[in-house]
Amino acid sequence: MRSITRVKYVLPLLLLPISYAFSQEAITYQKPPQEILELIDIERAPSVFADSKKQKMILVFRDQYKSITELSENEMRLAGLRINPKTNIGSRTTYYNNIKLLTVDSQSINDIGGLPNNPRLANFSWSHDESKIAFTHTTELGVELWYIDLTNLQAKRLTEAKLNANMGSVIQWFKSDESILVKFLPKDRKSLIDSANAVPVGPTVSNSDGSKAQNRTYQDLLKNTNDEFNFEQLAHAELIEVSLKGKTKPWLPSAMYTSIDISPDGNYIAVTQVKRPFSYLVPYRRFPQQTDIFETDGKLVSNFNQVPLTEEIPKGFMAERTGKRRLQWRSDQPATMVYAEALDGGDPENQVEYRDEVFQVKAPFNGQPESLFKTKDRFSQISWGNKNNAIFYDFWWNTRQVRTSLFDPSNLDQEVVELNVRNYQDAYNDPGNFVTTRNALGEDVLLIEGEQTYLIGDGFTDKGQFPFIDQFNLKTKQTERVYQSKFTDKIEELNDAIDLKAGKVLVKIESPTEFPNYFIRDFKKDTLTQITDFKNPFASIEGIHKEVIKYQRDDGLELSGTLYLPADYDFEAKPKLPMIMWAYPTEFKDKNSASQNTNNPNEFTYPYYGSMIYWVTQGYAILDDASFPIVGEGEEEPNDTFIKQLVANGKAAIDAVDKLGYIDRQRVGVAGHSYGAFMTANLLSHSDDYAAGIARSGAYNRTLTPFGFQAEERSYWEAPEIYYNMSPFMHSDKMNQPLLLIHGEADNNSGTYPLQTERYFNALKGLGATARMVMLPKESHGYRAKESILHVIWEQHEWLEKYVKNK
C-alpha cells in the first residue's frame, strides 16, 4: 500500500502546488462538547502566599485564561524578551485581578479596599516587616506602582503609569519600609523604529573568527541594528526612590538595569546592568554585565564585577564562564558578598580535584576575598545558618549527583563535612530540604535550635508517598524522624514550618475528589485545624475511577502510570474502551532511579488545558503520566538506545492496561507536548501499537538543533547517527498512522520553533501520510488564550473520535 500511495503523490508533480493550495482550511475558533466545556470554563481557586510567621495569607485571584485580544496586543521580541512597547511590561505577563487577606488565627477573609478598576496586578513584593505589599498595575497606557497597607486593608496608588517593567526587578523595598526603589521610563527615551517598514541601510553581517560558540538554539534574538536600537530603548530605565507618600527622588541615572539586590542590613544595594556590545547569538542574560554596589543614597562604593559578552563557553551542561558568578548576599551577616569562580576553566572536560571555589568579601568590598570552601563538583547554592553552621550543595549533571556539605563559616581552616551524596533523581532516598526561618536581619536562614535542625521531605517510597519531618543533629550527624504522614487515601503536603519545637506545621491536604486546602498540623497533639475552604470546581468527574498501575518493561524495568476510567464503567462486564496515553520521556543514568514510582493516586484530579483527562467524560480510558524512562548507565548515554526504549515503554504500558481487560488495544491513541510531541511522532514512526497520535509544540528534526537538545549535550558532528535516528522527520516515510500536529505560531521555546512543525507536516504530506497541522495565532510554547485552548481541545476531540474511538 505504501508504494502505491507514494506513486500517487510523486507522479503529478505539476499538480502539487494546486493540490496543496486547496488543502488549506479556513476555520473559526471551535468549542469542544459540553461535558468537556464544563470542566474548562470554571472559576479558578486563588493562589496563596503566606508571611514568614504564617499568620497572614494573601489570596490572589486571576482569570483562568487570557483572551486572544490580549495576546494580539503589540509585542516586540528582542534578545530573549517579549515586551509590550506601549505598556512597557512583558507581553506574556500573568495578571491577577483581585487580592484578599486571610487572617489565620480568626480564619477570616477580608477584601482589600481601594484597588484599581479592572485590575491587572503583578510583581507582588512584601515589605520587610510584612505589614505592606507593593505591586504593579498595568493600565492601557503603562505600569503604575501601588501598595497595600495590611493594617487597614487599603490599597493606594503611588505613581502614574511610568514604570519600566521590561526586565524584571521592578520594585525593591528599602529596609526602612518607608520607600521603594523603582525602575522608571527614562525621560530621554527615543521613539522606537518600525523595523517591518524601515528602509535598510545595508546588510546584516556576522563573523566567525575561529573560536567555538556552540550555543543552544535560542529564539527571539536580536537580528539587526534596528533591533539593537529598540532593545536599548526598551531596556533603559532610571532608578527612582518613591516614598509611601508618593514623593519621588532620583537615585541612579538611566541604564539597562537587570537586577537590584539590597544587603541584609539595608545599607548597600547591588545593581546589575547590561552593557554593549550586544549579540545575535545569545539572549540578553549573556550580554556584557556590570555589577556595582552603592550606599542607600546612591553613592558608589564598589565596581564589584565586570562580565564580558558570553557567546563562547566550553561544551557540556556543566560548562561555565570564568570569573565571578552567582553573586549573592550572605544571609547571616549585615553586608557580605559571596560568589563562585570556576577552578577548571569552566570546562567539564578538564580533570581537576575541585571544580569551583566560593569566596566572600565584606563591606566596603575592597579587601582581599576570603575563600570559604572548594567544591568537588559544580557549586549550586548555600543555606546559611548561624555563626558556626552553614550548608552548601554542589552537583554534576552527567552523573545526576548532588552533594550536601556542612561547613563552619567562622573557621575557614576547618574541613567541610560531607553529609550526603546521592543521585538527585533517586526520589526514594531524598533526605528532604532543610527548614528555614527568618533571622534578625529579616533573611531566610537554617532553623537551628541548639544543635538541632530540621528537614521536610516528600516521602516517596515503594509503598506510597508519606511526607515527613526529620530532626538532624549538627554535632552527632544523626537523624530522628519526628513526624510522618499516615494518610493512605489523601496527600498531606508539608508546606512550611510554623513552630516545629511546638509541633506546628502548615500543610496542604488533598484527595482525588477533595480540592487542595490548607491546614495547621499539630503533630504533637495530633490535631488538624483547617484554614481555607476552597471548593471542588470539577464535581462532574468526582465519580471517575482512578488508580496507579505498576508494570514491567521487557527488560524488567519497573514502570507506572495513572489510569482513569469513566464514572459509569461496568467492572463486571468490562467493556473494551479506547485509550489515550499521555507521557513525557525522562533521561536517567541508573535503572534504580528510573524504576521509582512518584505517581500518587491520591492527588486531586485537576484537568488543565493540556490534560487528556477531559476525555474520560467521552468514554475513553486515560493512562496519564505513563513512565517513559530513557536509561543510559556507565559510559552509555540514554539517547544511544532512545528509540528502542521509547517503543518498549509504550508497549509495556498498553500491555499492562490490556491485561487488566479495560481496553481495545487496536484503539489506542498517544499524545504529548514539547518533548512529549517528539516522543509521539517517534512512536508512530517506529511502532504499530497506536491508532493515531497528537503532537503539540514539538521539534522533529534534530539537525536544526545541532548543539544539543533536551538532555543530549553532544553536538550533531559528534553523534550524527543519534541526531538522525532520533529525528521523526528523517523517518517521515515510515509514518502510517494519523498524526495531528498543533503548534503556537509565536513559540519561543529553545528548539521548538514553528518551522519544526511546518517542515515536518510538509514531509508527511509529500509522502502521503494522514496528518493535520493546526497553527495557533499569537500562541507561544504554552497556550494562553481561551479561544485557542477551546479550539485545541475541539481539534483533539475530533481527531480522537475519528481515528481512535471510531477507527
Side-chain angles (χ1 to χ4, degrees):
M1 288 297 293
R2 185 159 296 285
S3 60
I4 295 173
T5 304
R6 281 182 179 169
V7 170
K8 184 171 72 172
Y9 280 87
V10 170
L11 288 180
L13 293 176
L14 296 176
L15 298 180
L16 272 176
I18 299 173
S19 172
Y20 183 80
F22 279 102
S23 69
Q24 310 309 306
E25 181 180 347
I27 190 170
T28 57
Y29 289 111
Q30 301 294 307
K31 295 181 179 180
Q34 186 62 30
E35 298 94 336
I36 295 178
L37 194 60
E38 289 174 357
L39 295 172
I40 300 170
D41 199 8
I42 55 115
E43 184 177 344
R44 186 185 182 95
S47 300
V48 179
F49 56 99
D51 67 353
S52 61
K53 296 179 181 178
K54 312 301 177 290
Q55 293 300 308
K56 296 189 284 264
M57 300 181 76
I58 305 301
L59 311 180
V60 289
F61 299 78
R62 68 179 177 91
D63 292 331
Q64 183 85 330
Y65 314 103
K66 287 182 177 288
S67 69
I68 197 66
T69 301
E70 287 180 277
L71 289 191
S72 299
E73 293 176 355
N74 193 13
E75 178 179 74
M76 300 189 79
R77 304 170 189 174
L78 301 167
L81 292 170
R82 292 191 166 185
I83 294 169
N84 183 325
K86 182 178 180 182
T87 57
N88 290 289
I89 192 170
S91 52
R92 308 275 164 160
T93 299
T94 295
Y95 292 115
Y96 294 86
N97 57 29
N98 198 7
I99 308 174
K100 296 185 179 184
L101 173 65
L102 188 157
T103 305
V104 173
D105 285 343
S106 64
Q107 297 183 32
S108 60
I109 297 178
N110 296 288
D111 293 330
I112 304 297
L115 288 171
N117 295 324
N118 303 313
R120 300 175 79 193
L121 315 179
N123 298 300
F124 298 99
S125 177
W126 284 100
S127 63
H128 295 92
D129 67 3
E130 297 181 315
S131 69
K132 297 174 279 289
I133 293 177
F135 59 92
T136 62
H137 166 54
T138 303
T139 71
E140 292 183 357
L141 300 177
V143 180
E144 302 171 339
L145 174 65
W146 288 66
Y147 88 100
I148 297 169
D149 186 337
L150 295 176
T151 59
N152 60 20
L153 301 177
Q154 287 295 311
K156 178 182 177 181
R157 191 184 75 159
L158 293 177
T159 73
E160 296 179 351
K162 294 182 178 181
L163 273 62
N164 185 340
N166 290 329
M167 296 233 291
S169 282
V170 190
I171 53 181
Q172 193 77 242
W173 287 92
F174 281 95
K175 203 72 175 185
S176 66
D177 288 337
E178 294 300 321
S179 59
I180 305 169
L181 189 57
V182 185
K183 287 184 180 179
F184 270 75
L185 299 173
K187 298 179 180 64
D188 60 352
R189 175 189 276 189
K190 298 174 184 176
S191 298
L192 301 177
I193 296 173
D194 181 359
S195 296
N197 298 309
V199 177
V201 296
T204 300
V205 178
S206 298
N207 292 304
S208 175
D209 61 3
S211 57
K212 295 181 179 180
Q214 300 187 8
N215 296 302
R216 287 270 169 144
T217 310
Y218 298 112
Q219 298 193 59
D220 298 343
L221 299 178
L222 302 180
K223 298 181 180 66
N224 50 50
T225 55
N226 289 347
D227 281 355
E228 289 189 50
F229 175 85
N230 286 339
F231 170 76
E232 196 162 23
Q233 298 308 308
L234 291 166
H236 263 83
E238 297 174 0
L239 293 185
I240 305 291
E241 181 178 352
V242 180
S243 76
L244 296 189
K245 295 181 179 179
K247 294 182 178 180
T248 61
K249 182 171 68 175
W251 202 78
L252 282 183
S254 178
M256 293 179 284
Y257 301 113
T258 55
S259 69
I260 301 167
D261 195 6
I262 297 179
S263 65
D265 65 1
N267 293 329
Y268 299 95
I269 303 177
V271 179
T272 300
Q273 60 177 293
V274 165
K275 309 275 285 187
R276 281 184 173 270
F278 300 149
S279 170
Y280 296 1
L281 294 178
V282 293
Y284 80 96
R285 295 188 185 280
R286 288 173 62 176
F287 291 176
Q289 294 184 21
Q290 175 179 316
T291 299
D292 300 311
I293 300 178
F294 300 87
E295 293 180 347
T296 53
D297 59 0
K299 179 183 177 182
L300 179 66
V301 176
S302 171
N303 297 122
F304 192 76
N305 195 29
Q306 300 280 342
V307 180
L309 175 65
T310 310
E311 284 186 338
E312 303 160 11
I313 59 174
K315 183 178 69 69
F317 291 162
M318 289 288 90
E320 278 290 356
R321 64 171 176 82
T322 56
K324 298 173 186 174
R325 71 176 204 279
R326 301 186 75 87
L327 274 61
Q328 56 193 271
W329 293 111
R330 184 168 160 174
S331 303
D332 64 334
Q333 289 195 353
T336 297
M337 185 60 75
V338 178
Y339 61 89
E341 287 199 38
L343 297 176
D344 58 1
D347 189 346
E349 294 297 318
N350 292 333
Q351 299 303 310
V352 295
E353 183 178 3
Y354 296 101
R355 292 287 176 181
D356 283 339
E357 188 168 9
V358 177
F359 298 89
Q360 67 177 10
V361 182
K362 298 180 180 179
F365 319 106
N366 54 8
Q368 184 67 27
E370 295 178 290
S371 175
L372 288 170
F373 52 82
K374 296 178 182 178
T375 61
K376 294 178 181 178
D377 289 325
R378 196 64 78 205
F379 170 67
S380 175
Q381 62 176 331
I382 303 175
S383 293
W384 298 99
N386 54 24
K387 183 178 70 172
N388 302 113
N389 294 285
I391 287 169
F392 72 84
Y393 303 85
D394 59 289
F395 76 107
W396 200 248
W397 178 86
N398 305 74
T399 57
R400 312 300 197 268
Q401 179 175 279
V402 63
R403 179 183 289 101
T404 306
S405 302
L406 177 69
F407 74 104
D408 183 349
S410 68
N411 183 1
L412 301 184
D413 294 326
Q414 189 180 44
E415 292 283 331
V416 302
V417 178
E418 211 169 82
L419 299 180
N420 185 282
V421 182
R422 68 179 187 88
N423 185 318
Y424 59 72
Q425 291 182 313
D426 181 359
Y428 290 178
N429 290 298
D430 186 346
N433 298 313
F434 281 95
V435 176
T436 61
T437 187
R438 272 197 152 197
N439 63 9
L441 294 166
E443 302 293 320
D444 288 335
V445 295
L446 295 172
L447 173 60
I448 300 175
E449 298 172 346
E451 298 292 344
Q452 306 292 341
T453 187
Y454 298 87
L455 299 109
I456 291 180
D458 292 329
F460 287 108
T461 73
D462 58 356
K463 296 179 176 60
Q465 183 182 3
F466 305 96
F468 63 83
I469 302 172
D470 280 350
Q471 190 177 65
F472 178 76
N473 189 294
L474 293 165
K475 188 174 183 179
T476 66
K477 314 300 183 293
Q478 297 299 306
T479 300
E480 177 187 355
R481 185 141 301 176
V482 296
Y483 176 71
Q484 183 159 350
S485 178
K486 296 181 176 62
F487 281 125
T488 57
D489 58 345
K490 300 179 182 181
I491 297 178
E492 180 180 11
E493 180 184 321
L494 307 177
N495 269 66
D496 216 338
I498 297 176
D499 185 346
L500 290 183
K501 195 171 184 179
K504 293 185 178 180
V505 61
L506 181 69
V507 304
K508 185 167 65 175
I509 296 177
E510 62 186 273
S511 78
T513 58
E514 293 177 27
F515 195 86
N517 274 290
Y518 290 89
F519 298 74
I520 293 177
R521 159 73 72 183
D522 188 326
F523 58 80
K524 291 195 172 180
K525 295 181 179 178
D526 195 22
T527 60
L528 269 177
T529 303
Q530 187 165 351
I531 299 172
T532 62
D533 188 22
F534 305 136
K535 304 302 181 185
N536 179 5
F538 305 108
S540 63
I541 58 170
E542 279 187 349
I544 65 173
H545 175 77
K546 178 180 182 180
E547 65 175 308
V548 171
I549 62 170
K550 298 179 181 180
Y551 48 95
Q552 285 189 345
R553 202 164 74 177
D554 56 12
D555 60 358
L557 194 67
E558 295 286 340
L559 306 177
S560 63
T562 305
L563 179 67
Y564 299 86
L565 299 175
D568 60 354
Y569 186 76
D570 187 340
F571 284 93
E572 291 187 7
K574 280 197 173 180
K576 302 288 189 178
L577 303 178
M579 184 176 85
I580 310 167
M581 181 168 64
W582 178 268
Y584 190 94
T586 304
E587 298 83 352
F588 293 87
K589 285 300 291 180
D590 72 299
K591 290 181 179 178
N592 175 60
S593 299
S595 67
Q596 294 178 357
N597 172 32
T598 56
N599 289 313
N600 192 324
N602 299 321
E603 286 183 348
F604 178 72
T605 303
Y606 197 128
Y608 66 100
Y609 88 86
S611 172
M612 291 292 119
I613 297 173
Y614 295 119
W615 280 272
V616 78
T617 68
Q618 304 299 301
Y620 291 80
I622 312 296
L623 186 62
D624 192 35
D625 200 19
S627 298
F628 264 72
I630 309 296
V631 186
E633 295 189 307
E635 295 298 315
E636 182 183 71
E637 291 298 323
N639 286 342
D640 292 348
T641 53
F642 179 85
I643 298 298
K644 179 183 176 181
Q645 294 191 64
L646 199 73
V647 172
N649 289 329
K651 183 177 184 302
I654 297 170
D655 286 346
V657 187
D658 184 32
K659 188 177 179 180
L660 293 171
Y662 297 142
I663 63 167
D664 174 1
R665 67 176 303 134
Q666 301 303 313
R667 294 188 295 154
V668 175
V670 61
H673 188 95
S674 193
Y675 208 55
F678 174 74
M679 170 204 74
T680 297
N682 266 311
L683 285 173
L684 267 60
S685 299
H686 299 285
S687 169
D688 292 322
D689 290 330
Y690 307 93
I694 299 170
R696 298 197 315 243
S697 299
Y700 309 103
N701 183 350
R702 286 306 172 190
T703 68
L704 298 178
T705 56
F707 290 110
F709 59 90
Q710 201 72 5
E712 179 57 66
E713 63 178 357
R714 293 169 292 187
S715 74
Y716 167 77
W717 295 273
E718 292 174 290
E721 70 286 353
I722 299 297
Y723 280 70
Y724 182 90
N725 291 332
M726 288 181 65
S727 295
F729 179 86
M730 305 303 181
H731 305 283
S732 298
D733 59 332
K734 299 176 184 176
M735 178 64 70
N736 57 9
Q737 290 108 10
L739 178 61
L740 173 62
L741 293 162
I742 302 174
H743 214 122
E745 286 184 349
D747 193 330
N748 67 338
N749 184 54
S750 176
T752 58
Y753 32 75
L755 180 68
Q756 289 272 6
T757 288
E758 294 165 354
R759 289 287 183 259
Y760 186 39
F761 174 76
N762 287 344
L764 294 174
K765 181 176 176 60
L767 292 165
T770 300
R772 178 179 174 89
M773 180 176 68
V774 180
M775 303 301 289
L776 302 171
K778 311 296 181 180
E779 293 291 353
S780 186
H781 192 60
Y783 315 145
R784 300 292 298 276
K786 185 175 182 179
E787 295 88 340
S788 301
I789 289 166
L790 293 178
H791 186 83
V792 164
I793 294 173
W794 176 81
E795 289 278 2
Q796 293 176 156
H797 178 72
E798 295 296 307
W799 197 257
L800 293 168
E801 290 289 291
K802 182 175 182 179
Y803 292 112
V804 177
K805 179 187 281 187
N806 299 303
K807 176 186 173 183

